[in-house]
Structure formats: C-alpha cells, structure tokens
Amino acid sequence: MMRQLLTLLGFVSALLMPSLAAAGGIILSVRAGDEVHEYTIAELRALGEVEVATSTIWTEGEQAFVGVPLKTLMNGLGVETGIVTASAVNDYAVEIPLTDTDGRAPIIAYERNGQTMSLRDKGPLWVIYPYDADPAYRTEETYSRSIWQLNRLSVQ
C-alpha cells in the first residue's frame, strides 16, 4: 500500500512539475548533510547562469542550454568534495563525483533553446555537459550522468 502511495505521489508531482516551474515554484531540492535547500528557477539563475551550445545524442542538431554549473551550486552550499546523487521525478538516479566537475561542466540546465523545459521535453532540469567541447565528455559514463527530469540532489 505504501509503495502504491509513493508511486502515486511521484506521478502527481511529475504532472505538476511543469506548472510549478512556470509559476516560479520549487523545482530542485538539494540535501547536503542534515540541511535541505530548495530552489526555484529564479534562485538557480541568481547563482550565475552559463550557456552551453552543444549537440547531444538525444536531440537533433546543436542545442543552446542555459543553467547553473553544478560546481557553483555545490560551492554555494559549502560542499567541495563528495558524491552527488542526482535523482529524477521517476526516481531514476545517478552518481556524479564532485572530483569530476569543474566550472563549466556539468550544468543543471533549466532552458533549452531559449525555453524552459517541460517534463515531456526532458525538463524541467537536465544535467548537461559540453559534449562537443571535448572528447572526454563523449563517453558512456558522461552520457549516463546526463540525467533529465532532475528534481533532487543529495550529497554524500
């Protein structure tokens, strides 16, 4: 019964996520230690947005993504080391070691080609690397970390 309730809650939150993003609601929850921080798109933008123009294996042609570097987000929380578990609305999760981040990659993208992303369009948040900038970003490991429909991070 509890599992069914959690599945239903996940489904309902997935349906509401696009409207929350459009309305300025919370779209990202970050757990760092005992603290939980919640962010709207406006709050993520205020951290310092960057643009990454790149092609992906999931889209056609070059795409322009805007977001905040993961390293910037983590540094703002005082987190410099550890592993970030990135989870999607459907509970799919990946691990991103902070040792593998730098000032440009990955970013937590909230815009693609000038538009916020809906759940149907891999949004509202998508972990993006500048795949075209360096062959090191075109690996199965990097692609597996490029989680879309991101809604929460947890630092270990």
Side-chain angles (χ1 to χ4, degrees):
M1 179 68 170
M2 180 60 114
R3 184 181 173 114
Q4 292 169 330
L5 180 59
L6 291 173
T7 301
L8 178 61
L9 287 173
F11 178 73
V12 169
S13 68
L15 289 175
L16 294 176
M17 190 66 71
S19 59
L20 288 175
I26 302 298
I27 62 166
L28 180 65
S29 176
V30 181
R31 176 175 295 281
D34 292 334
E35 296 181 16
V36 175
H37 306 268
E38 296 179 321
Y39 296 89
T40 64
I41 287 180
E43 290 167 331
L44 290 174
R45 281 184 196 282
L47 295 175
E49 62 186 17
V50 297
E51 183 172 329
V52 172
T54 189
S55 61
T56 80
I57 62 172
W58 307 279
T59 58
E60 295 291 324
E62 187 175 85
Q63 307 290 306
F65 294 95
V66 174
V68 62
L70 178 59
K71 185 173 184 100
T72 300
L73 176 63
M74 291 294 111
N75 286 347
L77 297 174
V79 176
E80 296 181 12
T81 62
I83 296 175
V84 175
T85 300
S87 303
V89 295
N90 66 356
D91 292 330
Y92 175 78
V94 299
E95 291 184 346
I96 305 171
L98 287 175
T99 55
D100 292 351
T101 65
D102 59 34
R104 67 180 182 153
I107 69 167
I108 299 172
Y110 39 76
E111 262 185 32
R112 185 172 99 181
N113 300 326
Q115 302 292 319
T116 57
M117 297 176 285
S118 70
L119 276 175
R120 291 183 182 196
D121 195 28
K122 299 189 176 10
L125 301 173
W126 186 357
V127 175
I128 293 291
Y129 291 79
Y131 310 103
D132 295 343
D134 189 330
Y137 293 129
R138 295 189 298 271
T139 66
E140 286 301 315
E141 185 174 53
T142 300
Y143 293 142
S144 72
R145 293 177 180 163
S146 302
I147 184 171
W148 53 77
Q149 296 179 337
L150 176 72
N151 70 343
R152 61 196 182 280
L153 300 173
S154 179
V155 185
Q156 303 153 4

